[in-house]
Amino acid sequence: DIVMTQSPDSLAVSLGERATINCKSSQSVLYNSNNKNYLAWYQQKPGQPPKLLIYWASTRESGVPDRFSGSGSGTDFTLTISSLQAEDVAIYYCHQYYRTMYTFGQGTKLEIK
Amino acid sequence: QLQLQESGPGLVKPSETLSLTCSVSGGSISDSSDFWGWIRQPPGKGLEWIGSIHYSARIYDNPSLKSRVTISVDTSKNQFSLKVRSLTAADTAVYYCARQKRDNWNGLDWFDPWGQGTLVTVSS
């Protein structure tokens, strides 16, 4: 199985500041045939299902604010929120869909400082 | 707009079988490019993929749960279902259903959209 490890487990950031969440996969999720990273990011608020933010490591889902961005390739990925808003308080998960044993990171809890 | 909705019992006894259904609206479960998945989340914990099914009954599943899990599809009702046998307290979780699209190159893609989830508690 591909193990997804996020860091940090929790993060407190001031409103308007940048938030950075990291995700490391135990093996590469870059598919060489199409040069795509099979990595997605989700946001989960309390009592709600996960919401897709980013796929292909860096493609923003329609309707997702442009303060959210994804980067990285191979085994190391980052979700960045450029200017934290109060509504961004949530748990964020990375997810690999490279192998059909689909796995998620353990989650990063983002709070306001 | 595609919507998914889970339904099933909120409380099940240990050793019994859990049966959940996911109803799909706003689209056809028989779309050839779509797979339909189950994911669970124990209270306060992370996400665990259970398995995904195509309307043709092609299944991808989690080996760690495979011996206790059955996933099926009912195209006439635009629904798919999950059964989990021999329940223990460790199966207590919110169970979500979600769609995955078939990838043109490699397996399946991300999960979107998701149902609201249903909490299943295993307790006597």
Side-chain angles (χ1 to χ4, degrees), chain A residues 7 11 14 23-25 30 34 36 41 43 51 60 64 66 72 81-82 89 100 107 109 113:
Chain A
S7 62
L11 180 63
S14 299
C23 175
K24 188 175 185 65
S25 57
L30 173 63
N34 60 5
K36 289 189 172 181
W41 289 95
Q43 175 194 64
K51 172 190 173 185
R60 199 179 304 114
V64 173
D66 61 6
I81 308 172
S82 60
V89 169
T100 53
K109 187 174 184 179
K113 184 187 291 184

Side-chain angles (χ1 to χ4, degrees), chain A residues 6-97:
Chain A
Q6 293 181 226
S7 62
D9 289 333
S10 63
L11 180 63
V13 175
S14 299
L15 289 173
E17 296 298 307
R18 179 186 299 263
T20 301
I21 298 170
N22 300 302
C23 175
K24 188 175 185 65
S25 57
S26 61
Q27 57 186 275
S28 177
V29 298
L30 173 63
Y31 196 68
N32 291 327
S33 297
N34 60 5
N35 199 37
K36 289 189 172 181
N37 287 283
Y38 281 58
L39 189 285
W41 289 95
Y42 300 89
Q43 175 194 64
Q44 187 178 33
K45 297 182 179 180
Q48 296 184 19
K51 172 190 173 185
L52 177 69
L53 296 177
I54 302 280
Y55 54 92
W56 299 133
S58 61
T59 302
R60 199 179 304 114
E61 170 70 337
S62 175
V64 173
D66 61 6
R67 63 181 181 274
F68 290 90
S69 64
S71 62
S73 185
T75 61
D76 292 281
F77 300 91
T78 300
L79 175 69
T80 301
I81 308 172
S82 60
S83 176
L84 188 70
Q85 305 299 303
E87 60 265 32
D88 300 335
V89 169
I91 299 175
Y92 292 84
Y93 294 94
C94 60
H95 158 55
Q96 69 77 22
Y97 47 98

Side-chain angles (χ1 to χ4, degrees), chain B residues 1-121:
Chain B
Q1 180 183 359
L2 190 70
Q3 292 186 313
L4 291 80
Q5 180 66 57
E6 306 87 351
S7 59
L11 179 65
V12 189
K13 291 181 168 54
S15 79
E16 293 190 343
T17 296
L18 167 66
S19 294
L20 296 175
T21 296
C22 181
S23 299
V24 178
S25 58
S28 173
I29 203 168
S30 301
D31 189 314
S32 62
S33 64
D34 292 341
F35 273 68
W36 306 94
W38 289 99
I39 307 102
R40 68 181 184 179
Q41 184 173 36
K45 295 189 178 181
L47 299 159
E48 180 181 35
W49 172 69
I50 300 171
S52 301
I53 189 168
H54 189 253
Y55 82 94
S56 64
R58 172 80 168 94
I59 292 175
Y60 293 103
D61 52 27
N62 185 332
S64 70
L65 295 168
K66 182 175 183 176
S67 64
R68 297 195 296 127
V69 164
T70 300
I71 300 173
S72 59
V73 63
D74 186 338
T75 55
S76 67
K77 294 182 179 179
N78 225 36
Q79 295 176 338
F80 62 107
S81 298
L82 172 70
K83 292 186 187 297
V84 184
R85 295 176 292 278
S86 304
L87 292 169
T88 70
D91 294 308
T92 294
V94 175
Y95 285 76
Y96 295 102
C97 57
R99 180 192 62 184
Q100 284 179 284
K101 285 207 164 289
R102 189 199 303 265
D103 188 75
N104 291 330
W105 294 83
N106 178 33
L108 308 178
D109 289 341
W110 52 89
F111 296 98
D112 182 65
W114 297 59
Q116 283 299 305
T118 186
L119 175 62
V120 175
T121 302

